[in-house]
Amino acid sequence: MRTRLISVGERMPGWVAEGVADYRKRLSRDLPLELVEIALGHRGKNRDPQRAIAEEGAAVLAALPKDAHRVALDGRGKPWTSEQLAEQLAAWRMGGRDLALLIGGPDGHAPDVLAQAHQTWSLGPLTLPHMLVRLVVVEQLYRANSLLAGHPYHRA
């Protein structure tokens, strides 16, 4: 199974980029992870923010791998413990499809993106910068993979 992390926003801060790169390297054998960055929709004084969200949504949908299982990161989604995420990861692998994890921009996902998601996942009630969400997601994927492999990384 290949995983594509599709995220709205470009140019991660150096410390986020380094962290994401480190976990991608750790995952490379068991869960190859590709990061796809989507440009932010144009926002401005005289521009409707919904138009920017729609532009971002169209670009996210265009970046989806064919037949991938789509999981949108959304505050209204289902929160999973690390153990529950490991169970999800095992189920996704058994499904035999690639996985697409979708991170929206500063105003969230376009309605079309949420409508096409098979699942929605919430990282909890906190509001997190979408750049930081990338790092949290790849670390949690590594943790879930470690749990499934019986690796001592996770200590509950």
Side-chain angles (χ1 to χ4, degrees):
M1 177 179 81
R2 290 189 211 142
T3 302
R4 184 176 287 181
L5 180 61
I6 302 171
S7 182
V8 175
E10 300 172 297
R11 296 174 295 201
M12 291 182 282
W15 61 273
V16 172
E18 289 174 21
V20 169
D22 179 53
Y23 284 109
R24 282 182 66 200
K25 183 178 176 184
R26 294 182 195 197
L27 283 166
S28 64
R29 190 187 67 201
D30 298 325
L31 187 66
L33 178 70
E34 176 188 3
L35 174 62
V36 177
E37 294 181 315
I38 303 295
L40 284 171
H42 179 71
R43 288 166 172 77
K45 215 186 228 185
N46 298 321
R47 186 161 162 109
D48 179 14
Q50 294 305 312
R51 189 168 172 190
I53 296 167
E55 290 170 355
E56 294 163 0
V60 166
L61 293 175
L64 285 171
K66 186 178 180 177
D67 297 327
H69 184 81
R70 299 175 293 277
V71 180
L73 278 285
D74 185 78
R76 296 168 301 240
K78 182 158 174 77
W80 295 320
T81 64
S82 295
E83 292 82 4
Q84 289 169 326
L85 178 59
E87 292 171 9
Q88 287 293 318
L89 181 58
W92 295 331
R93 283 179 172 160
M94 291 298 294
R97 297 164 65 186
D98 287 340
L99 176 64
L101 298 167
L102 315 173
I103 299 173
D107 298 307
H109 285 293
D112 290 349
V113 172
L114 292 174
Q116 290 196 33
H118 296 108
Q119 291 176 284
T120 55
W121 172 22
S122 172
L123 296 180
L126 296 172
T127 301
L128 300 171
H130 60 278
M131 294 295 186
L132 182 58
V133 169
R134 293 179 188 189
L135 183 55
V136 172
V137 167
V138 295
E139 188 281 334
Q140 285 298 301
L141 287 173
Y142 178 73
R143 183 176 298 275
N145 188 65
S146 297
L147 277 163
L148 294 174
H151 187 278
Y153 178 79
H154 178 73
R155 292 175 179 88

